[in-house]
Amino acid sequence: VEYPVLNEKAWDFCQKISKSTLIPESIRSTETADHTADVYMIMALGNSLGLNFMQSLSGIYTVPGTARPALYTNTKRALVLKAGGLIDERWDDQANAAIVTITRGSQKYTRTFGVQEAISMGKMFIDPNDGIAKGVRSRSGNASPWAIDYKNMCMIRALSRCCDAAYADVLMGLSSVEEL
């Protein structure tokens, strides 16, 4: 589908989309807040990244309370692969860290993210009873993503940072949702 030029037809389309429960709450229109312009801007940003409008709405997120769009790490991965990048992801049990290498042409970029970094960010802790690294729980006491699958969370951070290093131009310098 071609992106519409900004006219009444495009505005009407975005207005309808903005009322869908399938888009993030931060850009969903309500009786008291019209987010039609936000939907259009996300679709326009996605277009400049080479995404169609549905990919834009599912792959770009605006953190509530900010005007700062961000990309989900899986969207970054897709854009890097589309641009020809080769991605190698692995977990190093000895270092207790995710290691991601992206090859762009003849250049290799490697980024790591491990348990020690997660601890310094307050996402994990070392249990004093058994000495095992564990993910923190949410304020409500529920298991956080770090408590459920810390290796995957470390991998997401390493992947996002490696994508940023190797393909900042393709990603337009946008942060990842997970980093924000």
Side-chain angles (χ1 to χ4, degrees):
V1 172
E2 294 282 326
Y3 274 82
V5 294
L6 189 53
N7 58 28
E8 201 167 309
K9 185 177 177 183
W11 195 257
D12 182 55
F13 174 75
C14 290
Q15 193 170 47
K16 287 179 176 128
I17 295 289
S18 77
K19 294 177 183 173
S20 171
T21 58
L22 299 177
I23 64 171
E25 285 186 46
S26 62
I27 60 167
R28 189 178 311 148
S29 291
T30 64
E31 290 180 21
T32 58
D34 181 12
H35 289 284
T36 303
D38 300 328
V39 169
Y40 186 84
M41 292 304 296
I42 284 177
M43 289 171 53
L45 175 60
N47 185 40
S48 64
L49 288 165
L51 302 172
N52 67 40
F53 67 88
M54 292 307 291
Q55 291 169 325
S56 300
L57 291 172
S58 66
I60 300 172
Y61 184 72
T62 302
V63 178
T66 73
R68 189 172 177 185
L71 297 172
Y72 286 100
T73 299
N74 281 335
T75 304
K76 286 185 174 189
R77 176 199 315 262
L79 291 169
V80 165
L81 291 171
K82 185 178 177 181
L86 301 173
I87 302 173
D88 176 47
E89 303 172 57
R90 63 186 174 89
W91 182 262
D92 184 332
D93 284 320
Q94 193 168 17
N96 213 7
I99 302 170
V100 176
T101 300
I102 296 178
T103 304
R104 182 176 187 174
S106 61
Q107 187 103 20
K108 288 188 184 279
Y109 300 82
T110 300
R111 295 295 183 270
T112 62
F113 192 96
V115 170
Q116 290 306 315
E117 289 167 289
I119 289 171
S120 70
M121 292 175 59
K123 302 292 184 184
M124 296 186 69
F125 66 98
I126 301 293
D127 189 321
N129 298 321
D130 58 18
I132 296 173
K134 297 182 180 174
V136 297
R137 298 182 92 55
S138 69
R139 289 185 181 120
S140 64
N142 297 327
S144 73
W146 289 91
I148 295 168
D149 188 3
Y150 77 86
K151 287 183 179 180
N152 187 50
M153 296 304 293
C154 289
M155 190 64 71
I156 288 170
R157 292 292 174 96
L159 176 61
S160 176
R161 291 176 178 181
C162 201
C163 288
D164 291 342
Y167 283 88
D169 56 329
V170 171
L171 303 173
M172 295 175 48
L174 292 168
S175 298
S176 71
V177 172
E178 296 83 4
E179 292 286 336
L180 295 179

